[in-house]
Amino acid sequence: MRPAAFDLSGRTALVTGANTGIGQAIAVALAEAGAGVVALGRSGMDETAELVASHGAPFRAVSADLATLEPVARVMAEAAELSGRVDILVNNAGIIRRADALDFTEADWDAVMDVNLKSAFFLSQAAARAMLADNAGGKIINIASLLSFQGGIRVASYTAAKSGLAGLTRLLACEWAAKGINVNAIAPGYVATNNTQALREDPNRNAAILGRIPAGAWGQPADIGGAAVFLASRAADYVHGITLPVDGGWLAR
Ligand code: NAP
């Protein structure tokens, strides 16, 4: 039996970038806690559909490219078809571009800001409007980064976007907390996904990163699921505007 405060039965979660990595793991964790899942992305969702179904949770895939705002209204409408409303939005979709700041291009700046920050804001706006329409509130969870707290190197637009996302999380919490919407973020540490493949394949960077993580290991996508369930649940009803690190102790160092 699930602890009542963490039980998501009857809720519907819209998770962006849910075909792989952290987004997929969050979708599965929310399903395991009882939520129906709307998996949004630009790639096939078959694997996620199977994993969610293994927990007996309702599932729907919505195809959309969040590089522009064009799909936002359609996505919210299609997501609402699963159960009538979206109770939980997880803004997870994200990309990273690496280059020295001196060489960083406008294209790499815009691409990252558009997916990681602009789409997250306008999806949150659309979700909040719908959540407020029936006064039932909701939960919005943004997937931030250690680079919401730190500078990093060679990832100028990513650091700007993830630092912006932490700020946006605080702003939206301030505007919507009293209206029954909890807006919070999770800052994953170094997690083994496509996003970090280049780092793991570089022996020097890999060793340097591993050597600095107190837990002594890369995070796995499933490590992020519990924090998402918590922030999506009634257990987090009085939690607003935080960016919760799940980082193997990285920030403690
Ligand atoms: P990932 O495996 O590369 O997953 C990124 C997800 O975002 C994929 O589902 C991807 O879809 C989707 N996406 C990218 N651009 C999109 C677009 N234009 N429209 C719709 N979906 C799009 O990497 P991940 O590590 O799981 O990343 C998930 C989130 O965690 C990101 O926001 C990332 O910044 C953040 N994060 C990751 C780490 C880490 O160490 N891995 C640490 C901190 C934060 P496709 O498969 O179709 O590209």
Side-chain angles (χ1 to χ4, degrees), residues 240-251:
H240 293 280
I242 65 159
T243 296
L244 173 63
V246 182
D247 66 351
W250 178 279
L251 287 175

Side-chain angles (χ1 to χ4, degrees), residues 217-245:
W218 282 79
Q220 296 303 314
D223 291 326
I224 311 303
V229 170
F230 165 58
L231 291 175
S233 73
R234 279 193 289 118
D237 275 355
Y238 198 58
V239 179
H240 293 280
I242 65 159
T243 296
L244 173 63

Side-chain angles (χ1 to χ4, degrees), residues 16-23 40-43 45 64-68 91-96 115-116 143-146 158 162 186-196 218:
T16 71
N19 57 301
T20 184
I22 291 170
L40 183 156
R42 58 185 178 176
S43 301
M45 291 290 171
D65 185 339
L66 295 176
T68 73
N91 285 308
N92 165 79
I95 56 172
I96 193 162
V115 177
N116 295 19
I143 304 306
S145 165
L146 295 176
Y158 189 83
K162 294 297 188 181
I186 297 169
Y190 284 86
V191 181
T193 67
N194 298 336
N195 175 295
T196 52
W218 282 79

Side-chain angles (χ1 to χ4, degrees), residues 114-174:
D114 285 348
V115 177
N116 295 19
L117 190 57
K118 189 173 179 181
S119 280
F121 172 70
F122 284 99
L123 264 183
S124 299
Q125 181 191 65
R129 285 175 177 163
M131 287 167 179
L132 294 176
D134 60 7
N135 280 324
K139 310 280 187 190
I140 296 175
I141 302 166
N142 295 318
I143 304 306
S145 165
L146 295 176
L147 300 184
S148 301
F149 301 98
Q150 301 180 313
I153 51 167
R154 307 192 73 248
V155 288
S157 55
Y158 189 83
T159 298
K162 294 297 188 181
S163 298
L165 196 57
L168 193 58
T169 299
R170 291 188 288 268
L171 172 129
L172 295 179
C174 292

Side-chain angles (χ1 to χ4, degrees), residues 46-157:
D46 290 354
E47 192 179 272
T48 307
E50 229 172 87
L51 292 166
V52 167
S54 73
H55 294 292
F59 179 84
R60 182 184 173 124
V62 171
S63 176
D65 185 339
L66 295 176
T68 73
L69 299 184
E70 178 276 325
V72 169
R74 172 181 61 82
V75 158
M76 291 311 302
E78 287 186 24
E81 284 171 13
L82 187 69
S83 70
R85 91 188 295 273
V86 170
D87 305 284
I88 301 153
L89 167 67
V90 183
N91 285 308
N92 165 79
I95 56 172
I96 193 162
R97 298 281 169 85
R98 292 188 171 89
D100 291 343
L102 289 174
D103 302 324
F104 217 83
T105 64
E106 185 178 2
D108 281 347
W109 179 270
D110 287 345
V112 173
M113 296 300 272
D114 285 348
V115 177
N116 295 19
L117 190 57
K118 189 173 179 181
S119 280
F121 172 70
F122 284 99
L123 264 183
S124 299
Q125 181 191 65
R129 285 175 177 163
M131 287 167 179
L132 294 176
D134 60 7
N135 280 324
K139 310 280 187 190
I140 296 175
I141 302 166
N142 295 318
I143 304 306
S145 165
L146 295 176
L147 300 184
S148 301
F149 301 98
Q150 301 180 313
I153 51 167
R154 307 192 73 248
V155 288
S157 55

